[in-house]
Amino acid sequence: MKEVFGSPGKVSGLILRMGQCLLASASIAVMASASGFSSSTAFCYLIASMGLQVLWSFVLACLDIHALRLKRDLRNHVFVSLFVVGDWVTATLSLAAACSSAGVVVLFVKDTNICKVENKLSCDLFQISVALSFLSWFLLAISSCAMFLLAASD
Amino acid sequence: MKEVFGSPGKVSGLILRMGQCLLASASIAVMASASGFSSSTAFCYLIASMGLQVLWSFVLACLDIHALRLKRDLRNHVFVSLFVVGDWVTATLSLAAACSSAGVVVLFVKDTNICKVENKLSCDLFQISVALSFLSWFLLAISSCAMFLLAASD
């Protein structure tokens, strides 16, 4: 298998996984601390989807650390096939969650005056959480493309 | 280049492109005929994104017909590289548009009683349009994966 930026068991792959994990956790923390988030299904789905991404990225980061410490090569056919399916499913769910929340945030902030009328909604925190989830998705998309290239070159 | 379902210049590829084109056009038509769609940025973005998808799929369908009639092989490196970038950009934009609109529709229909209170909003048409855009994205995702596999096996 050829060398790709963000391959499993490499330092670049580990940095990507840790970035995904941190950004998704920050997105959950900000959204959960915003008052009134439970009023929209999209925000609850964002928390669930980012939770799945934290779990997935954390497990793969642990695997990368394990491989780096023992100098193991994770780029075999079974591992890469598993990673590519998991990465693409998680990336699609994360993008869907980030976009549906962004749609609701734009409706609250720009299209209507809900944010000005309803003082109990933390609209600033909603926006920060959605921005963090997009950044987290972007890092996951890089990992997913690396996995797809690895699997296709197999 | 190997044979993949949905390759450019093949009957399977042409059927996929025509399906994308028809479903995206239907999504635009339903959304544009719904009263009150301009009240949400997400719905306007859905129309713009589906418009881009109609254009892209229509051009590729015409190329497929041309290749099938003249028995040309479109699977060369330059074409496939162009198709893979265009397909992935269009697919990501379509998913983003479908999900942001879905977030707003769920807010209207389930989370709040906006649809019951505001009689001028065509909530049923919003739902049909979003469902059609998801179907259109699904066909585009199949084409995108086929292109990625073709490009990676090059």
Side-chain angles (χ1 to χ4, degrees):
Chain A
M1 282 189 168
K2 61 182 177 183
E3 194 66 45
V4 179
F5 175 83
S7 299
K10 300 285 159 194
V11 177
S12 57
L14 178 61
I15 292 170
L16 279 176
R17 295 293 171 196
M18 287 175 74
Q20 292 157 22
C21 211
L22 284 174
L23 287 168
S25 309
S27 175
I28 294 175
V30 172
M31 185 55 88
S33 66
S35 69
F37 80 89
S38 57
S39 62
S40 167
T41 307
F43 295 154
C44 299
Y45 172 48
L46 184 77
I47 291 184
S49 178
M50 287 295 122
L52 177 72
Q53 191 176 323
V54 168
L55 272 177
W56 175 253
S57 298
F58 182 73
V59 169
L60 290 213
C62 290
L63 266 178
D64 282 345
I65 292 170
H66 174 76
L68 281 169
R69 280 186 64 184
L70 302 182
K71 297 198 192 326
R72 290 266 176 86
D73 190 2
L74 289 178
R75 291 171 301 158
N76 72 52
H77 185 70
V78 179
F79 273 123
V80 169
S81 303
L82 189 72
F83 294 162
V84 81
V85 174
D87 260 352
W88 279 96
V89 170
T90 322
T92 308
L93 291 178
S94 293
L95 180 63
C99 290
S100 54
S101 300
V104 174
V105 165
V106 170
L107 186 86
F108 280 0
V109 175
K110 195 176 152 288
D111 300 334
T112 60
N113 55 357
I114 291 176
C115 279
K116 286 173 190 150
V117 176
E118 296 267 357
N119 288 319
K120 71 178 196 317
L121 289 177
S122 313
C123 288
D124 291 342
L125 292 181
F126 292 160
Q127 292 178 64
I128 295 169
S129 175
V130 169
L132 286 169
S133 68
F134 270 111
L135 286 175
S136 174
W137 166 77
F138 183 71
L139 294 186
L140 189 57
I142 297 173
S143 288
S144 306
C145 288
M147 291 295 173
F148 208 101
L149 279 175
L150 268 181
S153 71
D154 190 17
Chain B
M1 282 187 166
K2 62 182 177 182
E3 194 65 44
V4 180
F5 175 82
S7 299
K10 299 285 160 196
V11 178
S12 57
L14 178 61
I15 293 170
L16 279 175
R17 296 293 171 195
M18 287 175 74
Q20 292 156 23
C21 212
L22 285 174
L23 287 168
S25 308
S27 174
I28 293 175
V30 172
M31 185 56 87
S33 65
S35 68
F37 81 89
S38 57
S39 62
S40 167
T41 307
F43 295 154
C44 299
Y45 172 49
L46 183 78
I47 290 185
S49 179
M50 287 295 122
L52 177 73
Q53 191 176 323
V54 169
L55 273 177
W56 175 255
S57 297
F58 182 73
V59 169
L60 291 212
C62 290
L63 268 177
D64 281 346
I65 292 170
H66 174 76
L68 281 169
R69 281 186 64 185
L70 302 182
K71 298 198 190 326
R72 291 266 175 84
D73 190 2
L74 289 178
R75 290 172 300 157
N76 71 54
H77 186 70
V78 179
F79 272 123
V80 170
S81 303
L82 189 73
F83 294 162
V84 82
V85 173
D87 260 351
W88 279 96
V89 170
T90 323
T92 309
L93 291 177
S94 293
L95 180 63
C99 291
S100 54
S101 299
V104 175
V105 165
V106 170
L107 186 86
F108 280 0
V109 175
K110 195 176 152 289
D111 300 334
T112 61
N113 55 357
I114 291 177
C115 278
K116 286 174 192 151
V117 176
E118 297 267 358
N119 288 320
K120 71 180 193 319
L121 289 177
S122 313
C123 288
D124 290 342
L125 293 180
F126 293 159
Q127 292 178 64
I128 293 168
S129 175
V130 169
L132 286 169
S133 67
F134 270 111
L135 286 175
S136 173
W137 166 77
F138 183 70
L139 293 186
L140 190 56
I142 297 173
S143 288
S144 306
C145 288
M147 292 294 173
F148 207 101
L149 280 175
L150 268 182
S153 71
D154 189 17

